[in-house]
């Protein structure tokens, strides 16, 4: 805008000198037109800002590496004799970084804002201020927008180095049964309150002590897929892709499982996965997590070996 006013002042001085040197009707017209420009600019600026419409079109989610744009459209009189600048703040939730940008909307009132889909994560595009300039760039008005567009860049399924072992994940565990009797049972010492019919007389005679049968039942434990967070975005993209592939594999084989996240600075998080909907919700929450800054690429186990960031384990013994 400073440059526009500098050009205008130079034009005004030139017109005034021309008027002093050549006092004819042409010089009068030139001087009057130059003097009228600021008033016309102010009217155009106010009219454009009051009649302006603003809208955006933004996808809610996109696959990693897919070219995507946010379409910003302005309408009304503003699109005919004015131009706009849009102030925008882009936040990468996983990296915890924030960048500010200025977008110029062209004379047709449409501008494409490219979306960063290089890495998985949650990206927030906060459109804060829209500045409307007149055609000459002498005046402007600001409009507070406060419109936030959130985009999830989702991982592409990637086959892990070792395919899941469905035999191990279908293993059975034992727990106390609510039924009074069962073919599977454990032996324990008699305590006051235990039913007489549960006494194991043969074993009690051998041990010379009252022993009772404790009914047990089989149950299937939860399969687990463990994800360790890392600040290496390429590695994190790969691990997320392997999580997607493994979870979908279990869902196809009707195997309920858990996705467990181990953040370095807080307790373990777990997501119950029984369907595609559960998986979508879990991935959406993971993509909004803040990644650690350093030192969590690998976790050293007691035997000195490095444990991979994505690990698959057999059935939980503590499953419900």
């Amino acid at each position: 805008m400073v440059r526009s006013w500098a050009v205008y002042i130079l034009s005004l001085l030139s017109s005034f000198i021309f008027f002093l040197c050549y006092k004819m009707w042409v010089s009068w017209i030139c001087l009057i037109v130059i003097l009228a420009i600021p008033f016309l600019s102010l009217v155009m600026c106010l009219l454009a800002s009051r009649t302006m419409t603003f809208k955006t079109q933004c996808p809610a989610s996109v696959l990693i590496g897919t070219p995507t744009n946010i379409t910003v459209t302005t309408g009304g009189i503003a699109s005919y004799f004015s131009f706009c600048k849009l102030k925008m703040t882009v936040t990468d939730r996983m990296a915890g970084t924030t960048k500010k940008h200025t977008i110029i909307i062209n004379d047709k009132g449409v501008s494409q804002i490219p979306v960063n889909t290089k890495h998985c994560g949650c990206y927030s595009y906060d459109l804060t201020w829209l500045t409307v300039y007149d055609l000459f760039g002498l005046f402007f008005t600001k409009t507070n927008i406060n419109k936030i567009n959130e985009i999830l860049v989702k991982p592409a399924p990637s086959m892990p180095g070792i395919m899941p072992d469905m035999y191990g994940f279908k293993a059975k565990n034992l727990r106390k049964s609510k039924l009074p009797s069962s073919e599977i049972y454990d032996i324990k010492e008699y305590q006051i309150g235990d039913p007489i019919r549960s006494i194991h007389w043969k074993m009690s005679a051998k041990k010379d002590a009252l022993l009772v049968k404790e009914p047990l039942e089989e149950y299937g434990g939860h399969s687990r897929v463990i994800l360790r967070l890392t600040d290496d975005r390429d590695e994190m993209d790969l691990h997320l892709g392997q999580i997607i592939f493994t979870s979908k594999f279990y869902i196809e084989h009707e195997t309920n499982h858990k996705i467990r996240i181990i953040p370095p600075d807080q307790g373990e998080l777990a997501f119950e996965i029984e369907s595609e909907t559960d998986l979508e919700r879990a991935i959406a929450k993971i993509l909004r997590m803040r990644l650690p800054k350093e030192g969590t690429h690998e976790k050293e186990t007691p035997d000195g070996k490095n444990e991979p960031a994505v690990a698959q384990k057999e059935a939980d013994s503590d499953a419900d």
Side-chain angles (χ1 to χ4, degrees), residues 148-319:
I148 299 178
N149 295 278
E150 186 180 83
I151 300 178
L152 294 178
V153 179
K154 296 184 177 181
S158 175
M159 183 182 296
I162 301 176
M163 284 292 293
D165 182 5
M166 295 308 299
Y167 176 78
F169 284 101
K170 290 184 178 179
K172 297 289 184 180
N173 295 306
L174 296 176
R175 64 182 176 188
K176 292 182 181 180
S177 176
K178 296 180 180 179
L179 300 176
S181 61
S182 173
E183 295 181 359
I184 306 173
Y185 56 86
D186 193 9
I187 302 296
K188 68 172 186 176
E189 292 184 0
Y190 176 82
Q191 295 180 358
I192 298 176
D194 290 336
I196 300 299
R197 62 176 178 274
S198 65
I199 296 177
H200 196 302
W201 297 106
K202 190 173 183 179
M203 187 67 68
S204 298
K206 289 182 179 180
K207 298 293 185 179
D208 196 20
L210 279 178
L211 302 176
V212 296
K213 301 177 182 178
E214 183 179 40
L216 300 176
E217 64 180 2
E218 288 186 337
Y219 75 99
H222 270 292
S223 306
R224 296 181 293 171
V225 181
I226 296 178
L227 172 66
R228 302 190 188 281
L229 303 181
T230 170
D231 60 347
D232 187 330
R233 299 302 292 273
D234 291 328
E235 188 176 353
M236 192 66 191
D237 295 341
L238 176 61
H239 293 166
L240 288 170
Q242 292 174 347
I243 288 288
I244 290 284
F245 181 93
T246 306
S247 289
K248 288 187 175 181
F249 181 82
Y250 292 149
I251 292 172
E252 291 174 358
H253 289 78
E254 298 181 351
T255 302
N256 298 340
H257 59 284
K258 292 181 180 179
I259 295 179
R260 287 190 169 180
I261 314 297
I262 305 179
D265 55 350
Q266 58 180 321
E268 181 179 291
L269 304 175
F271 300 97
E272 300 277 354
I273 308 298
E274 298 182 2
S275 63
E276 291 277 356
T277 302
D278 294 336
L279 179 59
E280 290 290 331
R281 292 174 180 172
I283 292 298
K285 291 182 179 180
I286 293 172
L287 293 178
R288 292 182 173 91
M289 290 182 180
R290 175 75 175 272
L291 294 177
K293 289 296 182 183
E294 57 183 1
T296 57
H297 291 267
E298 292 178 333
K299 183 177 180 180
E300 191 170 327
T301 55
D303 59 359
K305 296 182 181 180
N306 288 329
E307 188 174 331
V310 177
Q312 301 166 10
K313 294 192 176 182
E314 293 186 356
D316 265 338
S317 60
D318 59 347

Side-chain angles (χ1 to χ4, degrees), residues 73-91:
T73 306
T74 57
I77 302 177
S79 60
Y80 295 103
F81 49 78
S82 65
F83 64 95
C84 306
K85 287 185 179 180
L86 180 64
K87 295 290 184 180
M88 178 181 65
T89 302
V90 181
T91 303

